[in-house]
Amino acid sequence: MPNTLTLVASFVAKPGQEQRLRNELNAMIAQSVAEEGCLGYQPFVDPNHPERMIILEEWVSNEALEYHFTLPHFKHVAKVLDEILAEPFTLRKLTDIPA
């Protein structure tokens, strides 16, 4: 879909927190895709480095993404991430390349 916003959120779990990170990211899927403006929300794990995970997200606009950041399920996971990540998560926003 043209003119959408793709977000790559990257995470590195502390040792022993890999499964908790998977659980927390997976718990975000249903609530996030139910949001107006969310076109996709899928976690992935690096098979060679199980502590490294990403979420690949697609939003109709930056405004929809900013609204997502205000919702209770996002605020909950952000608080948990502070406890279980080895380093701060990163967000990379991408847009379509014009033809």
Side-chain angles (χ1 to χ4, degrees), residues 27-96:
M28 291 286 291
I29 297 170
Q31 294 175 86
S32 297
V33 297
E35 292 175 43
E36 187 174 332
C38 182
L39 302 172
Y41 199 93
Q42 182 61 49
F44 294 91
V45 63
D46 182 331
N48 297 313
H49 300 278
E51 74 282 4
R52 296 186 177 278
M53 297 168 218
I54 68 161
I55 298 178
L56 186 59
E57 307 174 30
E58 189 170 12
W59 298 89
V60 297
S61 66
N62 193 62
E63 292 76 19
L65 175 61
E66 291 299 323
Y67 178 70
H68 168 71
F69 293 151
T70 70
L71 296 175
H73 60 275
F74 180 84
K75 289 181 178 183
H76 165 77
V77 80
K79 188 175 183 180
V80 172
L81 293 176
D82 284 342
E83 300 170 13
I84 65 173
L85 293 183
E87 58 192 51
F89 67 90
T90 61
L91 299 177
R92 183 175 219 177
K93 293 180 181 179
L94 306 167
T95 57
D96 296 331

Side-chain angles (χ1 to χ4, degrees), residues 17-31:
Q17 295 295 322
E18 298 86 356
Q19 188 59 50
R20 186 167 180 206
L21 178 56
R22 276 188 208 92
N23 294 346
E24 293 292 337
L25 298 182
N26 283 329
M28 291 286 291
I29 297 170
Q31 294 175 86

Side-chain angles (χ1 to χ4, degrees), residues 3-20:
N3 300 320
T4 61
L5 178 65
T6 299
L7 183 77
V8 181
S10 300
F11 310 91
V12 179
K14 289 179 181 175
Q17 295 295 322
E18 298 86 356
Q19 188 59 50
R20 186 167 180 206

